[in-house]
Amino acid sequence: MPSLRPSSASTGRLRRMVTAPQRHPQLWLALICLIALAAYLVTSIVKFNRLRDGMDITIFDQAIRSFAQGHAGYTTLKAPGMPIFGDHFHPIILTMVPLYWLWDDPRMLLIAQGICIAWAGWLLGRLAIRRLGPGTGLLIAAGFLCGIGTQYAIIFDFHELVLATPLMAMALASFIEARWTACWVWSASLMVAKEDMCFLVGGIALAMLVRRHWVRGLSLGIFAVAWTAIAVFVVVPAFNPDHVYPYLHAVGAVAVAGVQTSAHGAWFGPLKTLGSAAILLSGTAFVALRSPLIWAFVAPFLTRAVSKNPQHWTTGFHYNLLPMLVACYAFVEAWPRLVDAAGRTLPGRRGTLRRWWRAVALPMVGIVALASVPLGPLWHEWTIGRCRDECRVFPAALAQLPAGSKVATDVYLTSHVAADADVSQWRPPDYLDDRGQPVTPDWLLLDRETISYQNKDSHWVDQFLADPVVRGTRYEVVWQRDPMVILRPAHS
């Protein structure tokens, strides 16, 4: 009778497969990061080609192209003659200029974005492997790369905060390794990402104070606040054509066009923000709460909780990328202490809780990471299906627009028009730019099937086409192929 026991050769192969991450953790980390990078790049570029990217990528594309050509970073999508530093002060975007010398295309920003996030995952994984061991280190790196906060940053076309992920990774790694001067320098460098980074950097400063590094912690906090104050009251107004910081009057109010103030009570925003924070922390089995680095997570969420912009309350958009990275580094910092505490014999519920927490933490991290793949926005992007009719018609519509002309178009088309035209956004109901000035295009390109500004319900495009008059100027249809329509002012 043949033996039912597995052969020694099969057993050896199985053992080698199971122990491979233990024997070659750096190789496996590189493989995980490369797979994540491939998923980021393919998904983001497919989304771009499906005409599903919004205004942010166009703003940065216009500004970086302007810098690359030796100009002041102008972005007509905000307003004609508007330098991008007159909107926000984020000099980190200047690092993209050499890339535009190589390839002048908004997809270069998507490539850089994917590389920055995968690079941060690599830095996180290397530290975690050294500190926690191969298995746990690879797990938390995968948790970050698959995390909901990370995926939404990828799917949200492009944002300058993504460029700060390697800087953030180096700052947090320096904190964990007690390289306090390096931590101060890397943390301070985060301010070049955006003027409101003072909240996150201030959280790192608080963590330093918890570790009793009084001088470094206080000086970092003062530096962050001073940088923000100078940016808000001096630098941005100096670049802005109206000599103002455009968001100062909007503190505590909705500042995103098309986003309405919530009809819920004052409690709703903080409660929903708390839920979003809990979702991110679940990716670390809440072990991150044991680290002083959690202050760098909490501080930005506190400011978002009191915002009246509903986008700040959710797990969507790009706002959760850096907090997600902070939470994962906080796990790396706190896990050894939890293991040590759970290993000590403590009577009563406290000891039982610690041992139970240690037992379920790593399985929970793995489950959340795995669940984030089919439930996350990257997978959802692939389930949407093939491109709609406008993708087929758009190249012919684009060919009708003369190079260098002033074009106003739907927000989802702007990034595809910006390379050859001074593009503005055509948005209802007033058709104004971000300075409140009328948009007066030479050409108007509209998409009847757009989802912008609730078109599926409001039908604003069809309503405009039924009566195409804005401030006394009538627009006439000069070309159409469903669902694309091109119009020009009647006097042209």
Side-chain angles (χ1 to χ4, degrees):
M1 180 176 178
S3 173
L4 299 179
R5 299 175 61 185
S7 66
S8 59
S10 299
T11 304
R13 284 196 296 270
L14 180 61
R15 184 181 296 112
R16 286 193 296 272
M17 290 176 60
V18 172
T19 61
Q22 302 289 334
R23 292 182 287 111
H24 306 289
Q26 301 293 336
L27 181 61
W28 279 86
L29 176 61
L31 180 61
I32 291 171
C33 292
L34 287 174
I35 292 173
L37 176 60
Y40 299 159
L41 296 184
V42 171
T43 305
S44 59
I45 290 176
V46 165
K47 178 173 176 279
F48 177 86
N49 291 338
R50 287 176 171 175
L51 308 179
R52 289 178 49 80
D53 277 346
M55 67 182 298
D56 282 50
I57 191 171
T58 311
I59 292 171
F60 290 109
D61 172 58
Q62 287 185 319
I64 294 167
R65 179 177 297 109
S66 175
F67 282 129
Q69 295 172 352
H71 304 303
Y74 295 110
T75 169
T76 59
L77 199 67
K78 299 297 292 185
M82 168 70 85
I84 195 168
F85 291 158
D87 185 57
H88 287 293
F89 187 56
H90 31 44
I92 197 170
I93 66 173
L94 295 174
T95 60
M96 296 294 100
V97 170
L99 299 182
Y100 264 54
W101 293 336
L102 298 175
W103 187 32
D104 183 350
D105 191 281
R107 283 167 289 189
M108 181 62 87
L109 301 179
L110 301 178
I111 293 171
Q113 174 174 263
I115 291 173
C116 284
I117 294 179
W119 182 9
W122 166 260
L123 295 172
L124 169 66
R126 283 202 315 169
L127 176 67
I129 289 169
R130 291 198 305 269
R131 185 174 172 85
L132 311 181
T136 305
L138 292 173
L139 186 63
I140 194 63
F144 167 70
L145 293 169
C146 296
I148 291 295
T150 305
Q151 290 191 48
Y152 271 112
I154 287 292
I155 217 70
F156 181 77
D157 48 70
F158 176 82
H159 202 270
E160 77 272 32
L161 293 181
V162 174
L163 304 178
T165 49
L167 300 178
M168 174 64 77
M170 293 174 184
L172 299 175
S174 299
F175 182 97
I176 292 172
E177 295 174 333
R179 295 184 288 113
W180 301 111
T181 300
C183 179
W184 197 102
V185 172
W186 287 119
S187 299
S189 71
L190 288 168
M191 295 304 303
V192 302
K194 200 175 181 182
E195 70 275 2
D196 61 4
M197 286 290 286
C198 64
F199 300 108
L200 197 153
V201 175
I204 299 176
L206 285 174
M208 284 184 167
L209 294 177
V210 172
R211 283 285 186 257
R212 299 182 181 276
H213 289 274
W214 309 110
V215 174
R216 290 188 178 92
L218 287 172
S219 60
L220 180 62
I222 293 170
F223 172 81
V225 172
W227 180 289
T228 296
I230 293 172
V232 168
F233 295 107
V234 179
V235 178
V236 173
F239 283 97
N240 188 281
D242 299 319
H243 305 293
V244 297
Y245 179 71
Y247 304 100
L248 193 61
H249 67 283
V251 174
V254 174
V256 180
V259 179
Q260 302 301 318
T261 304
S262 173
H264 298 280
W267 53 269
F268 184 79
L271 186 62
K272 192 167 184 179
T273 307
L274 179 63
S276 298
I279 290 173
L280 297 187
L281 290 173
S282 68
T284 71
F286 300 96
V287 174
L289 292 170
R290 293 179 56 90
S291 171
L293 285 175
I294 197 63
W295 286 109
F297 180 94
V298 169
F301 267 96
L302 288 176
T303 62
R304 289 164 56 181
V306 299
S307 170
K308 297 299 186 294
N309 182 350
Q311 292 182 344
H312 293 160
W313 307 335
T314 70
T315 55
F317 305 96
H318 56 280
Y319 303 111
N320 296 298
L321 173 63
L322 295 182
M324 185 82 203
L325 185 60
V326 171
C328 291
Y329 269 96
F331 174 94
V332 174
E333 198 274 339
W335 178 250
R337 292 199 308 279
L338 177 60
V339 171
D340 180 67
R344 295 197 298 268
T345 303
L346 293 175
R349 294 181 180 178
R350 188 176 181 183
T352 302
L353 177 61
R354 287 179 176 176
R355 289 189 290 273
W356 177 86
W357 196 357
R358 177 189 175 184
V360 303
L362 294 184
M364 183 175 178
V365 171
I367 290 170
V368 171
L370 287 174
S372 297
V373 175
L375 297 178
L378 263 67
W379 183 268
H380 175 72
E381 183 63 34
W382 289 100
T383 64
I384 292 174
R386 300 187 65 180
C387 193
R388 301 170 303 225
D389 291 340
E390 56 261 45
C391 296
R392 175 179 50 83
V393 176
F394 179 72
L398 189 61
Q400 308 300 314
L401 304 176
S405 57
K406 292 172 59 178
V407 177
T409 187
D410 182 79
V411 63
Y412 292 109
L413 304 180
T414 55
S415 58
H416 298 264
V417 179
D420 298 314
D422 290 336
V423 66
S424 301
Q425 184 183 174
W426 192 252
R427 58 189 180 196
D430 300 320
Y431 310 105
L432 304 175
D433 62 27
D434 278 19
R435 294 179 62 197
Q437 301 299 312
V439 175
T440 56
D442 297 329
W443 299 82
L444 188 55
L445 171 60
L446 297 180
D447 174 11
R448 292 177 181 269
E449 296 182 359
T450 183
I451 59 174
S452 66
Y453 302 101
Q454 296 80 46
N455 182 60
K456 295 295 184 182
D457 298 319
S458 66
H459 305 288
W460 70 267
V461 176
D462 286 332
Q463 289 180 13
F464 171 77
L465 291 175
D467 185 23
V469 178
V470 178
R471 287 178 288 273
T473 299
R474 173 171 289 276
Y475 291 85
E476 297 179 341
V477 174
V478 296
W479 184 94
Q480 61 180 323
R481 188 180 299 172
D482 197 48
M484 296 289 178
V485 182
I486 296 179
L487 304 92
R488 295 203 68 185
H491 58 76
S492 298

